[in-house]
Amino acid sequence: MFEARHTMDAPTTRSADNGTSGGGDGWFTPRQQPIPAAGSEQGTSEGHRLAALRPVNRGTADPDGEPPQNEAENPTPRIPTPPSTSTTFTSDQPQQPAQPPASVQIQEPAEAEAPASAEPQAPVPPPAPADPRVPTQRSAPTGNPSPDAVLVRRTMAEVAPAADKVTSYFYALLFVRHPDLRSLFPPAMDAQRDRLLKALLTAAEHIDNTPVLVDYLQNLGRGHRKYGTRAEHYPAVGECLIGALSKYAESVWDAETEAAWVRTYTTISQVMIDAAAADELRAPAWWYAEVVSHDLRTADIAVLTLRPDQPYPFLAGQYASLETPWWPRIWRHYSFASAPRSDGLLTFHVKAIPAGWVSNALVHRARPGDVVRLGPPAGSMTVDHTSDSGLLCLGGGTGIAPIKALVEDVAEHGARRPVEVFYGARSDHDLYDIDTMLRLQQSHPWLEVRPVVDRDGLLQLPDAIRAFGPWIEYDAYVSGPPGMIRSGVDALRGVGIPVERIRHDSVEELVTAGD
C-alpha cells in the first residue's frame, strides 16, 4: 500500500526454485536442484519440531564485538537436529522447563496474510513483514506482564543504545558459525542487515499479546517459505541471537534471563514452523508472474498488471511481496490495486523512490513479457461483509491502490453501503488515479470521492475528515506513507472511531522501512 512498507516480512533470503511453482528454467533456477532434506518443503508436512538450542559460548568473544578469530577453525559444537519431536530449546544454563503458553494455538492459515506496498525486506529464517509489524489496530493486552516478558523487555532496554553493535555481532556469529546460511541473504547487507534481528526482537517484545503475535508469526512463517527457510535454520538463529544479546546486556544477563529468552524464542519459532508446515499443504511457496502491461502514469509511478502462472487467491485490501530478476533475493511489498478478477490478473501501483532497488526496476525497467516472483498474499485491511457499516477510506499517494480494491470489493458484493474516500496528494499531478476513482463514483451512488490536495503544506489529509461526518458508524481504512497512517489513526480516533474499527497494514510501525 505504501512505498516504504510493512515490514513484517523481515529479512530476504535466497531465491531457489524448489519445483513448487512454475517451470525450471530462468534466473530463479539454482545451478543444481537441491536434494529435499527431511522436513524441507518437499518433505513431510506433518509439522516440524525444533532442534535443541544451546546459546553460543560467550567466553571467547572479543571485547570490541568481533567474533573470535578462531571460530571458523575451531567452532563450538553445533546444534544437531534430534529425531525427537520436542519443541523446546535447551540452554547451557539451568532453567525451568519451557511451557509454551496454552493460549498460543496454531490456527488454520487464512486465505492470505498481512500489508501492502513497500521496499526491501531482508531474509529471515525465523521471525522477521514483509510482510508485514504487529498490526497496530489491534489493542495491546492489559494487565501485568508475564515474568518472561519483564526479563525480555529489560534486556531490550539494556541493548538499545548498542543496537548497531548487537546487529553486527549477531550476523558475525551467524555467518562464522553457520556459513551455509550466508547464501540465504543478499550479497549486499547494508540495506538488509537489521531486518531479521529487528523482526525477532519485535516479536519477543510482544510475547504477551497472544492474538496479535500469533497472527504476525503465522504470516511470517508462511511468508518465509519463499526464502527457502527450513525448520533446521531456526536453532542456529536463536543460538546467535542469545549470544549477541548476552554480550551486550551483560549487566542484566543471568541464568533466569537466558531461560526466558530460550522459552520466548522457542515459542516464536514453533509458531512459524507449524504455520509454514500447514501452509505447505495448501499453497506453493511462491508464484511466477508475467508482466502483461506497464502503464507509466507519472515520471515515477507505474501501474503494472501481472498474470500469475497459477491461481493466486487473495482478498481486496491485501498485499504481496515481489522479487524482480534484476535484484534476486530482494523482496518488496505492494498492495493489490483491484479486487480479485475473473481473468486472474493482478494489478499493482509502484512509486519509484530514491535508491529504491525494486521500485525503480519495476517503474523504469520492467516491460511486458518480463517475469517476476510473487510471495503469498498477506494483510488484514479487508472488508467485513457481515456488517452493513459504512466505510471511511483515507488513501495517500500510491496508498490509493488498496482503497480502490476495497471499493471494487464492496461493489461486487452488491451492498449499498456508504463509502467515503479521501484521496490525498501534494499536488494535482500526484492524483494519478483520480480519473479511475471518479468513474467509480459515477457508477455507484453510494460512493463519494473527495480529492485533498495539500498545495501549501497546510491541509493534511487526516485534517480534511474533520470537516465532514459524523463517522461514528463507519469502519475506517488508512493506507499511505507511515507518517500519514500515524496521523490518520490519531485523527480518526479524535472524531470518535474506536481503534478496533480502524484498519491499516503499516509494517514500518514495527520494522525499519526498506529502500
Side-chain angles (χ1 to χ4, degrees), residues 406-428:
L406 295 176
V407 171
E408 293 178 354
D409 190 36
V410 172
E412 290 176 6
H413 278 75
R416 297 179 62 84
R417 302 167 63 174
V419 178
E420 300 272 347
V421 174
F422 288 80
Y423 183 1
R426 294 182 178 178
S427 69
D428 291 330

Side-chain angles (χ1 to χ4, degrees), residues 280-296:
E280 184 181 348
L281 300 176
R282 50 174 291 278
W286 41 263
W287 289 252
Y288 282 126
E290 178 186 359
V291 178
V292 296
S293 73
H294 185 283
D295 179 11
L296 194 62

Side-chain angles (χ1 to χ4, degrees), residues 90-313:
T90 58
S91 167
D92 282 341
Q93 301 294 339
Q95 65 181 68
Q96 301 175 358
Q99 300 292 333
S103 57
V104 178
Q105 300 176 351
I106 304 304
Q107 307 165 358
E108 270 308 304
E111 273 296 88
E113 298 172 26
S117 95
E119 283 294 275
Q121 289 317 92
V124 166
D131 251 209
R133 183 213 88 205
V134 176
T136 53
Q137 63 265 36
R138 302 280 294 276
S139 57
T142 56
N144 296 326
S146 66
D148 280 359
V150 171
L151 294 172
V152 164
R153 290 166 187 165
R154 184 181 69 175
T155 304
M156 294 176 66
E158 181 69 17
V159 301
D164 286 345
K165 291 183 178 179
V166 174
T167 301
S168 298
Y169 191 69
F170 165 75
Y171 279 113
L173 286 176
L174 186 65
F175 295 156
V176 168
R177 296 179 180 276
H178 306 278
D180 54 307
L181 296 183
R182 180 63 182 89
S183 62
L184 297 179
F185 294 78
M189 290 291 292
D190 52 339
Q192 310 289 330
R193 61 188 294 273
D194 58 353
R195 296 186 182 285
L196 170 54
L197 187 61
K198 285 190 176 183
L200 288 168
L201 296 180
T202 294
E205 186 176 15
H206 291 79
I207 194 65
D208 279 353
N209 196 346
T210 300
V212 170
L213 183 64
V214 170
D215 286 347
Y216 168 49
L217 294 175
Q218 287 179 335
N219 285 333
L220 284 179
R222 292 189 289 266
H224 283 95
R225 290 180 58 213
K226 67 179 179 288
Y227 300 137
T229 304
R230 300 191 301 270
E232 57 265 32
H233 295 154
Y234 287 78
V237 173
E239 174 186 289
C240 296
L241 170 67
I242 291 178
L245 292 173
S246 62
K247 174 177 175 60
Y248 287 95
E250 187 175 5
S251 63
V252 298
W253 194 268
D254 53 22
E256 186 179 9
T257 299
E258 184 166 286
W261 273 99
V262 167
R263 287 189 292 271
T264 296
Y265 184 79
T266 298
T267 298
I268 289 171
S269 301
Q270 199 61 60
V271 172
M272 293 183 65
I273 290 171
D274 290 347
D279 191 58
E280 184 181 348
L281 300 176
R282 50 174 291 278
W286 41 263
W287 289 252
Y288 282 126
E290 178 186 359
V291 178
V292 296
S293 73
H294 185 283
D295 179 11
L296 194 62
R297 295 288 183 86
T298 72
D300 58 359
I301 295 177
V303 175
L304 284 77
T305 302
L306 310 179
R307 179 187 293 112
D309 65 338
Q310 53 187 302
Y312 188 99

Side-chain angles (χ1 to χ4, degrees), residues 12 25 50 99 110 120-121 123 141 154 157 297 311 343 348 376 396 401 468 505 512:
T12 300
D25 55 357
L50 296 171
Q99 300 292 333
Q121 289 317 92
R154 184 181 69 175
R297 295 288 183 86
D343 58 11
F348 299 93
F468 300 89
D505 284 321
T512 302

Side-chain angles (χ1 to χ4, degrees), residues 271-418:
V271 172
M272 293 183 65
I273 290 171
D274 290 347
D279 191 58
E280 184 181 348
L281 300 176
R282 50 174 291 278
W286 41 263
W287 289 252
Y288 282 126
E290 178 186 359
V291 178
V292 296
S293 73
H294 185 283
D295 179 11
L296 194 62
R297 295 288 183 86
T298 72
D300 58 359
I301 295 177
V303 175
L304 284 77
T305 302
L306 310 179
R307 179 187 293 112
D309 65 338
Q310 53 187 302
Y312 188 99
F314 72 98
L315 300 176
Q318 291 188 310
Y319 67 94
S321 54
L322 274 71
E323 181 192 46
T324 73
W326 305 287
W327 295 104
R329 287 180 273 169
I330 303 294
W331 297 75
R332 299 297 178 266
H333 294 88
Y334 298 97
S335 294
F336 297 103
S338 66
R341 296 169 46 161
S342 60
D343 58 11
L345 298 181
L346 310 173
T347 303
F348 299 93
H349 295 184
V350 181
K351 179 181 176 66
I353 61 175
W357 299 346
V358 175
S359 64
N360 276 282
L362 290 172
V363 172
H364 300 302
R365 190 168 182 176
R367 293 295 181 268
D370 289 332
V371 176
V372 299
R373 280 209 303 169
L374 290 171
S380 59
M381 200 182 78
T382 56
V383 177
D384 178 5
H385 291 291
T386 66
S387 169
D388 59 0
S389 299
L391 275 64
L392 172 58
C393 303
L394 281 62
T398 53
I400 197 63
I403 300 301
K404 173 176 169 287
L406 295 176
V407 171
E408 293 178 354
D409 190 36
V410 172
E412 290 176 6
H413 278 75
R416 297 179 62 84
R417 302 167 63 174

Side-chain angles (χ1 to χ4, degrees), residues 462-497:
D463 298 331
I465 66 173
R466 298 187 180 97
F468 300 89
W471 307 114
I472 194 66
E473 299 297 327
Y474 282 69
D475 292 332
Y477 296 80
V478 190
S479 175
M484 195 221 85
I485 290 179
R486 286 190 290 268
S487 59
V489 170
D490 290 342
L492 292 167
R493 296 181 66 181
V495 297
I497 299 180

